[in-house]
Amino acid sequence: MEEVIKRIVDAEREAEERIERAKEEARGIVLKAREEARALEKSIIEEAEKNAQSLIEKARLEGEKEAKKILEAGNSEIEELKVRATNNFERAISAGIALVRGS
């Protein structure tokens, strides 16, 4: 009977040791999973920031290009107005001279 009790006690001790090892392994797995999750989160954030900077740069370049087009169109319109103003001024001068000459 004593031998049976000893086996039972040994079996219980071994079971408790296995349980403790399993708990330690589980803690290790959880810790590793958390570390991997943090690393993944960091990687995702870095990639998102990189993509955001790329999109911002692209938008900035497009904005500069559009602003340049608008400026060029405005300058072209100014030149056209200058030509018209010069022509109108020349016609006005001619009309004034004609009035002074009595034509």
Side-chain angles (χ1 to χ4, degrees):
M1 181 78 166
E2 204 174 296
E3 184 64 30
V4 172
I5 294 174
K6 186 177 184 240
R7 282 193 222 162
I8 292 172
V9 169
D10 287 344
E12 286 177 348
R13 189 176 329 119
E14 186 178 329
E16 286 177 16
E17 288 173 0
R18 286 182 179 181
I19 289 170
E20 284 304 312
R21 281 194 303 267
K23 285 180 182 179
E24 283 298 315
E25 285 180 30
R27 282 188 213 111
I29 291 169
V30 168
L31 182 62
K32 184 177 178 183
R34 284 183 181 153
E35 289 172 359
E36 288 175 358
R38 284 187 195 112
L40 181 60
E41 179 184 29
K42 182 180 177 185
S43 174
I44 289 169
I45 289 170
E46 287 173 357
E47 184 67 23
E49 287 174 349
K50 182 178 165 186
N51 288 340
Q53 288 301 320
S54 177
L55 290 173
I56 289 168
E57 181 63 16
K58 183 179 177 184
R60 185 187 65 76
L61 292 174
E62 288 176 2
E64 286 178 1
K65 189 176 179 181
E66 189 64 27
K68 187 176 178 180
K69 283 181 185 179
I70 291 168
L71 186 60
E72 288 173 357
N75 287 336
S76 177
E77 190 174 332
I78 289 170
E79 288 302 315
E80 288 176 22
L81 290 173
K82 283 182 183 179
V83 169
R84 280 196 230 151
T86 301
N87 289 340
N88 288 342
F89 181 72
E90 289 174 2
R91 277 192 249 140
I93 295 291
S94 295
I97 292 172
L99 284 173
V100 170
R101 288 187 183 166
S103 302

